[in-house]
């Protein structure tokens, strides 16, 4: 349960568990004034796909991204095509199809290398590194991250450098070195705060919380998750708010505060449910039920299950 950053002018558009997958937008079309912004045909399709991704509907998201890919190819729009391939990789990742995810990201990197844009190259190296990271190829992931970081530092791209330090920190955390991981997360956090990147800073706070949990420093983990929640609420990042609440519920349970676990988990459920993300709403209910059983308050969660499933649904026996 970690937050990978995909760098370089990305905006967060998809959440799988707590992995964030970013997606770029194409440059504005020539001839459009700053006062009258208009999405390109490719971007309009991508935005529809991103909306379905946020709801956890990978099938519909994939349909829009495939249409966006065809449009980008017809228009010979390489920057948009690279972004669409990243989107299709995110859908493949959500489906657990690591081979397809890698294929899409390798295609994006090949186009970026041929296109010659440094920012797109850093982005594609980072995104392929994150894909290698997710499918369990940490050595290959680190090599790609370091290539991207070297290029980002050379081009003074601080946003990319922050994302890459974050991801290198995750590799250290997975290798059992939470202290070194925390140092990298704090470097990323300092960069993101200087840049005013609230989403990036929130991601760093989450990963600092995960590192603190590894050390069983649950008070420190709670503090980091609360800071992430505050940042995500300020920017109304809805999927991240729900994920923050779920993490706070988990760490409260590890401290033995099951009443707080139940409260946080119910709040996460309501957020996910209101977003239409039923898959994650059910995960929140599962965490809530575990706490409710310890407290003798199962009926509270069963009531929410009936609400989620509809009046005709029958809850599983307990």
């Amino acid at each position: 349960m970690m937050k990978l950053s995909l760098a370089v002018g990305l905006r967060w558009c998809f959440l799988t568990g707590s992995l964030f997958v970013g997606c770029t937008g194409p440059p504005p079309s020539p001839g459009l004034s700053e006062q009258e912004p208009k999405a390109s045909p490719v971007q309009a399709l991508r935005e529809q796909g991103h909306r379905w991704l946020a709801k956890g509907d990978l099938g519909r998201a994939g349909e829009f991204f495939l249409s966006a890919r065809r449009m980008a190819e017809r228009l010979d729009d390489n920057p948009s095509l690279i972004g669409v391939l990243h989107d299709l990789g995110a859908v493949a990742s959500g489906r657990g199809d690591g081979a397809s995810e890698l294929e899409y990201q390798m295609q994006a990197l090949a186009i970026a290398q041929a296109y010659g844009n440094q920012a797109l190259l850093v982005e594609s190296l980072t995104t392929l590194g994150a894909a290698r990271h997710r499918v369990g190829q940490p050595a290959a992931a680190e090599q790609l991250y370091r290539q991207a970081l070297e290029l980002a530092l050379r081009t003074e791209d601080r946003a990319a450098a922050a994302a890459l330090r974050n991801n290198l920190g995750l590799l250290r955390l997975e290798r059992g070195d939470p202290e070194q991981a925390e140092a990298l997360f704090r470097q990323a956090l300092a960069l993101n705060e200087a840049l005013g990147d609230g989403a990036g800073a929130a991601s760093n706070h989450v990963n600092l919380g995960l590192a603190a949990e590894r050390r069983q420093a649950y008070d420190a983990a709670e503090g980091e998750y609360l800071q992430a929640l505050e940042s995500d609420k300020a920017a109304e990042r809805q999927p991240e708010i729900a994920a923050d609440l779920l993490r706070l519920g988990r760490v409260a349970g590890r401290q033995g505060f099951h009443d707080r676990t139940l409260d946080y988990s119910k709040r996460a459920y309501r957020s996910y449910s209101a977003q239409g993300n039923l898959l994650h709403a059910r995960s929140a209910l599962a965490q809530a039920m575990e706490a409710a059983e310890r407290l003798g308050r199962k009926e509270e969660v069963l009531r929410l299950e009936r609400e989620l499933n509809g009046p005709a649904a029958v809850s599983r026996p307990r």
Side-chain angles (χ1 to χ4, degrees), residues 141-152:
E142 181 165 4
Q143 183 179 10
L144 288 159
Y145 289 156
R146 292 199 177 280
Q147 280 182 263
L149 181 58
E150 181 182 351
L151 184 54

Side-chain angles (χ1 to χ4, degrees), residues 197-199 201-202 205 226-237:
D197 183 351
H205 281 301
L226 284 169
Q227 288 189 73
L229 178 61
E230 181 181 358
S231 175
D232 288 329
K233 281 188 171 184
E236 298 183 356
R237 289 184 287 269

Side-chain angles (χ1 to χ4, degrees), residues 2-235:
M2 59 188 176
K3 273 193 173 181
L4 279 174
S5 296
L6 304 193
V8 202
L10 300 177
R11 64 184 177 82
W12 311 115
C13 63
F14 179 45
L15 175 66
T16 305
S18 56
L19 296 183
F20 282 81
V21 178
C23 50
T24 57
S29 301
L32 293 179
S33 71
E34 290 183 6
Q35 290 76 26
E36 297 177 346
K38 183 178 178 182
S40 72
V42 179
Q43 184 63 9
L45 289 166
R46 292 183 67 199
E47 286 174 358
Q48 289 288 333
H50 298 159
R51 279 193 275 275
W52 287 112
L53 276 178
K55 293 181 178 181
D57 192 327
L58 300 176
R60 291 189 184 184
E63 290 171 7
F64 279 103
F65 292 146
L66 287 170
S67 296
R69 178 179 185 172
R70 289 190 291 269
M71 179 67 73
E73 289 171 339
R74 286 199 294 270
L75 296 172
D76 191 33
D77 183 350
N78 282 319
S80 292
L81 179 57
I82 289 167
V84 174
L85 289 167
H86 294 326
D87 294 336
L88 288 166
V91 171
S93 175
R95 290 175 171 156
D97 184 354
S100 294
E101 180 187 10
L102 289 173
E103 179 60 29
Y104 283 125
Q105 307 303 1
M106 287 189 289
Q107 289 177 32
L109 177 58
I111 295 169
Q113 288 170 328
Y115 190 65
N117 180 287
Q118 297 291 290
L120 291 173
L121 182 55
V122 173
E123 176 185 326
S124 295
L125 286 166
T126 304
T127 310
L128 179 57
R132 297 279 186 201
H133 195 162
R134 274 190 292 270
V135 301
Q137 299 175 9
E142 181 165 4
Q143 183 179 10
L144 288 159
Y145 289 156
R146 292 199 177 280
Q147 280 182 263
L149 181 58
E150 181 182 351
L151 184 54
L153 293 173
R154 195 185 315 148
T155 57
E156 299 184 351
D157 188 338
R158 293 190 296 163
L164 287 156
R165 292 185 193 283
N166 178 79
N167 292 1
L168 287 164
L170 288 169
L171 288 173
R172 293 290 179 273
L173 187 61
E174 290 162 12
R175 290 175 187 170
D177 190 349
E179 288 78 14
Q180 222 180 47
E182 284 187 16
L184 285 160
F185 295 148
R186 292 199 184 281
Q187 291 171 23
L189 177 61
L191 284 168
N192 282 322
E193 287 180 338
L195 291 165
D197 183 351
S203 175
N204 304 142
H205 281 301
V206 167
N207 289 333
L208 283 164
L210 294 174
E213 282 196 74
R214 288 285 181 93
R215 296 187 287 103
Q216 298 185 341
Y218 298 127
D219 285 345
E222 181 182 25
E224 297 293 347
Y225 296 151
L226 284 169
Q227 288 189 73
L229 178 61
E230 181 181 358
S231 175
D232 288 329
K233 281 188 171 184

